[in-house]
Amino acid sequence: MRKSIYLPALALLLGAAGFGLRRWAVGSGFEQDTGLALSGHPSFLALGGLSVLAVLLLALLCRGGRSLEPEECPLALSNISSLHMTLGSAAALLTVLAGAAAFLDFSSVVQLQGISASTLLDCATPFLLGAFALVSGGCLLLLAKRRYQAGMDVSFSFLPLIPAFFYCFWLMDVYRVRASDPIILDFAWFFLGAITLVLALYCSAGFAFRNGKPFTTLFWSLLAVVFALTTLADQHSLAEYLLLSSGILWCLTQAHALLQNLDQPRLVAPEAPPEEPPAGDTGADDDDDVDIVL
């Protein structure tokens, strides 16, 4: 079976198993009164074992692909079919919706707390997150379209960088909100999901600058699918659910496209079709005088 089929399927299977184990942990792995994690609960042991297994399996199975020449890198993530374009567009739409949800959070914070020096950070963060998400969603949509248009070359384009910067900003906000929580098992897999999404987008941006690393991009993209699916079982805000879902779709799409492109002996940008002369223009006009020199 080809890697482009079984590797994404394996990531989805491991993510689904992680989701089930995380639901088990959330439902019975914490004390009802204090919210503290129960030491030695089998759900945490199983979830930790599954996470280690996912890292080892993906690190082993993602190896062995061919290396890319610098001129091949901008085409390595080109979309092969309309399915890639559809999933990429869906990821972009979810990011835009996450931005709208962040603006709703901003409105709620302003109504409840008002804007003052003490609440400035709490008010500014969802507003900036919403604005950044709208820009990032637009970049993802343009990037999916350009990659689908006959493998359009995206050399030295800043489009892949903006979503990576956005998810990095989101990761900092996730840490800001949850850093004071003393129960690490309450948010550990959320951190793993956000971190791997940042690394996956960062590695994929290198292809636009002819410095793509197939192994690291595949590894972090597929691992991000596993951890992001796992943490969907946690309690999140609407914007966080949308961003995690967007990251899953985008990483799954780029991993599948990269695996299919690596099966090609060499990636070459398609030649532009020759321009047809205007209708009725057959070369020199019949009325032009031709001087004959003897």
Side-chain angles (χ1 to χ4, degrees):
M1 187 183 295
R2 296 170 57 183
K3 279 189 174 183
S4 59
I5 297 176
Y6 74 78
L7 274 180
L10 176 62
L12 288 173
L13 180 62
L14 291 170
F19 178 87
L21 291 175
R22 186 60 182 167
R23 290 295 299 173
W24 179 23
V26 170
S28 60
F30 297 91
E31 294 183 2
Q32 296 295 327
D33 298 331
T34 63
L36 296 174
L38 296 175
S39 178
H41 194 274
S43 63
F44 295 121
L45 298 177
L47 193 52
L50 180 70
S51 300
V52 173
L53 178 63
V55 171
L56 295 178
L57 272 178
L58 293 176
L60 178 64
L61 296 176
C62 288
R63 301 184 66 86
R66 71 180 183 90
S67 59
L68 294 172
E69 298 295 331
E71 59 271 14
E72 293 182 278
C73 288
L75 301 170
L77 298 176
S78 298
N79 298 326
I80 304 299
S81 66
S82 58
L83 177 62
H84 296 102
M85 176 64 184
T86 302
L87 293 178
S89 301
L93 177 60
L94 289 175
T95 306
V96 171
L97 292 177
F103 280 124
L104 292 178
D105 293 339
F106 166 74
S107 177
S108 300
V109 171
V110 171
Q111 290 180 357
L112 292 175
Q113 302 180 7
I115 299 178
S116 62
S118 59
T119 62
L120 183 60
L121 184 60
D122 293 333
C123 293
T125 302
F127 179 83
L128 294 175
L129 190 68
F132 209 168
L134 295 179
V135 176
S136 178
C139 290
L140 289 177
L141 182 61
L142 290 175
L143 189 59
K145 180 181 178 181
R146 293 185 65 180
R147 285 175 174 172
Y148 178 67
Q149 290 176 338
M152 183 180 291
D153 194 334
V154 291
S155 297
F156 306 106
S157 171
F158 286 91
L159 286 178
L161 285 176
I162 294 177
F165 289 151
F166 164 68
Y167 270 85
C168 186
F169 176 77
W170 176 54
L171 174 60
M172 291 187 293
D173 181 59
V174 168
Y175 177 79
R176 180 187 68 85
V177 174
R178 289 170 171 79
S180 59
D181 189 349
I183 308 173
I184 298 178
L185 290 176
D186 197 25
F187 57 84
W189 277 269
F190 186 26
F191 269 23
L192 290 174
I195 290 170
T196 49
L197 284 173
V198 172
L199 291 172
L201 289 168
Y202 173 78
C203 291
S204 65
F207 286 89
F209 298 89
R210 308 196 173 205
N211 191 30
K213 307 296 181 184
F215 167 73
T216 53
T217 303
L218 283 174
F219 174 72
W220 290 120
S221 296
L222 295 174
L223 194 61
V225 172
V226 175
F227 286 141
L229 269 174
T230 299
T231 191
L232 282 179
D234 292 320
Q235 295 293 326
H236 301 295
S237 66
L238 177 59
E240 290 170 343
Y241 277 122
L242 291 171
L243 288 177
L244 288 169
S245 302
S246 171
I248 291 170
L249 288 179
W250 188 262
C251 289
L252 197 63
T253 301
Q254 72 177 13
H256 186 260
L258 179 57
L259 286 167
Q260 285 196 331
N261 286 326
L262 289 176
D263 288 338
Q264 305 295 326
R266 184 173 178 80
L267 298 176
V268 180
E271 296 181 359
E275 296 183 1
E276 297 182 0
D281 187 2
T282 58
D285 295 337
D286 295 336
D287 297 336
D288 291 346
D289 294 333
V290 179
D291 295 334
I292 300 177
V293 179
L294 298 178

